[in-house]
Amino acid sequence: MQFDVGAELRRVRESRKLSLRAVATAVGVSASLLSQVETGKTQPSVSTLYALVNYLGISLDGLMGHNRVDSSPLGLDTSAGAQSGGDARHSDSVVQRREDNPVIEMENGVTWERLAVGDSSVADPLIVTYAPAGSSSVEGKMMRHAALEYGVILEGRLTLRIDFETYELAPGDSFCFDANRPHLYTNQTDAPARGIWFVIGRREMAYQTLADLGHGDEDEGARTITSAVDVLREMKAMRPAATS
């Protein structure tokens, strides 16, 4: 399901009563480029998209249809038939069919396909594809944003730069890092690179490093994230308690 990211960015910007020029200046792009993104004439790079959602105060799942700002779920049919259960594909938050996955095609050969998120707002699960010569930044600049990134490469090869280190990732290789560190993804091969990403973290979640994720109130004692099992434990602990 191809997602019109430009139209949604414009909708959120206008709902915040922000001018196009003010937003463009704040995120470091030209007003003409932002206008082209909003009208669908061009696609943003990964780094530009992150800058925009951070400045506008929305999450990736909010941008791509989950927990949307207004009351009309993005991409869903709000007609009487759909609301009464006419479309079974959207009636269960447990399963999301492949054809319903929101897809964003970005500049420089990068595609995001958002997987099911259910009722959770903890993580953005994505299938990420980098076309040959694709990069998370058109100009080759490293980016940083408030999140934790976990991922595994399924096919192809991808180069990951973090700070002053460079890693060559092959199928089966996985990674985990604090995205506040400057980083850049590039596909320097002639074949697509594809993997699954989990981007964990929200603007309202106060953490500084990977070890800070999951720290509760002082009466709960200190808890440290050291493994994927710990992450799953903390994700479960963050979910609201079931009501009878």
Side-chain angles (χ1 to χ4, degrees):
M1 181 176 67
Q2 189 65 39
F3 179 75
D4 190 349
V5 64
E8 180 65 4
L9 287 170
R10 180 175 57 189
R11 187 192 69 82
V12 174
R13 175 181 62 78
E14 292 177 346
S15 74
R16 303 284 195 270
K17 301 187 184 304
L18 298 170
S19 71
L20 186 146
R21 186 171 298 278
V23 173
T25 299
V27 301
V29 299
S30 67
S32 62
L33 174 60
L34 181 55
S35 176
Q36 290 177 355
V37 168
E38 289 189 348
T39 57
K41 294 180 180 179
T42 190
Q43 299 296 327
S45 65
V46 175
S47 56
T48 297
L49 183 59
Y50 268 120
L52 286 168
V53 297
N54 284 338
Y55 182 76
L56 292 172
I58 54 177
S59 62
L60 291 179
D61 60 351
L63 176 70
M64 299 177 77
H66 185 61
N67 295 332
R68 194 180 177 195
V69 175
D70 65 16
S71 60
S72 175
L74 182 64
L76 302 188
D77 183 358
T78 55
S79 64
Q83 292 177 354
S84 63
D87 188 349
R89 293 179 303 171
H90 301 301
S91 63
D92 191 343
S93 62
V94 174
V95 175
Q96 177 175 286
R97 302 301 179 184
R98 181 176 182 180
E99 61 268 24
D100 295 325
N101 292 349
V103 176
I104 295 180
E105 292 184 0
M106 284 171 284
E107 190 176 18
N108 220 32
V110 183
T111 301
W112 283 355
E113 185 175 352
R114 200 209 68 200
L115 303 177
V117 292
D119 295 327
S120 172
S121 60
V122 175
D124 294 309
L126 304 166
I127 295 178
V128 178
T129 302
Y130 278 79
S135 173
S136 56
S137 173
V138 177
E139 300 171 347
K141 294 180 179 179
M142 302 179 82
M143 63 178 179
R144 53 189 299 176
H145 53 94
L148 309 174
E149 290 197 23
Y150 293 76
V152 59
I153 303 302
L154 300 178
E155 60 184 60
R157 293 179 177 273
L158 195 65
T159 300
L160 169 61
R161 289 178 53 199
I162 303 180
D163 296 324
F164 301 104
E165 301 292 334
T166 300
Y167 304 91
E168 300 296 335
L169 305 174
D173 292 344
S174 59
F175 54 86
C176 166
F177 64 94
D178 191 325
N180 272 309
R181 299 171 61 184
H183 59 283
L184 174 71
Y185 296 102
T186 56
N187 181 356
Q188 301 176 0
T189 74
D190 56 2
R194 190 166 177 261
I196 296 179
W197 267 238
F198 286 90
V199 183
I200 300 177
R202 292 289 180 269
R203 294 168 60 89
E204 65 270 23
M205 293 175 63
Y207 68 85
Q208 295 178 341
T209 66
L210 285 170
D212 291 323
L213 180 62
H215 281 184
D217 299 332
E218 56 264 27
D219 60 350
E220 295 180 343
R223 293 180 292 179
T224 302
I225 297 297
T226 58
S227 69
V229 174
D230 294 332
V231 172
L232 293 173
R233 180 197 66 206
E234 296 305 324
M235 289 172 66
K236 182 178 179 180
M238 290 179 196
R239 292 178 180 175
T243 57
S244 58

